[in-house]
Amino acid sequence: MRPNLLLVAGAAFLAHWTLAFVSSLAEAIWQIQTPAHVQGRVFAIKQAATQSGTLCAYLLAGLLADRFLEPLLLPGSALSSSLGAWFGVGPGRGIAVLFFGIGMVKAAAVLGIYSSAGARQLD
């Protein structure tokens, strides 16, 4: 929430460290549930969908941060007194809000999936 290199590096490390666990569990489930004779086709479609979603997210994130969030967090702007109190105001604060929002969406997804009995019993 503040421009601190150690804080950003630590948060990025934790986010990417957990990704290894999530990815390996997801791949194991896909491999177990997909018959061997169609795994190549299924994994190709899954990978194409994942990569296209990632590409769209990268393209839209920059526009969202620079054109929408950044102007709202400049001194004297609409969100400078509300979100600006948490994230600061000025250059670079739009991307900070975006990263925080992405983290909150990920946390909500994890809690939602964990609260689902069916998802917990998925094998």
Side-chain angles (χ1 to χ4, degrees):
M1 291 177 16
R2 296 285 179 218
N4 181 321
L5 179 61
L6 291 176
L7 181 63
V8 171
F13 173 78
L14 288 175
H16 287 90
W17 181 66
T18 59
L19 189 60
F21 296 103
V22 173
S23 295
S24 62
L25 290 171
E27 286 301 314
I29 291 170
W30 277 92
Q31 287 178 345
I32 290 169
Q33 296 295 328
T34 306
H37 68 282
V38 294
Q39 280 187 0
R41 287 175 272 182
V42 170
F43 294 161
I45 290 171
K46 180 178 73 86
Q47 187 72 10
T50 302
Q51 294 299 322
S52 64
T54 301
L55 176 62
C56 290
Y58 284 149
L59 292 173
L60 293 175
L63 291 173
L64 178 64
D66 290 343
R67 309 274 178 171
F68 181 70
L69 293 171
E70 187 80 19
L72 291 174
L73 289 165
L74 292 175
S77 63
L79 297 178
S80 63
S81 61
S82 57
L83 282 179
W86 284 87
F87 297 97
V89 294
R93 300 296 77 211
I95 196 73
V97 170
L98 182 63
F99 282 164
F100 185 80
I102 291 168
M104 292 293 100
V105 168
K106 285 181 175 184
V110 167
L111 292 175
I113 291 169
Y114 185 72
S115 67
S116 167
R120 283 197 316 271
Q121 296 171 358
L122 187 65
D123 57 332

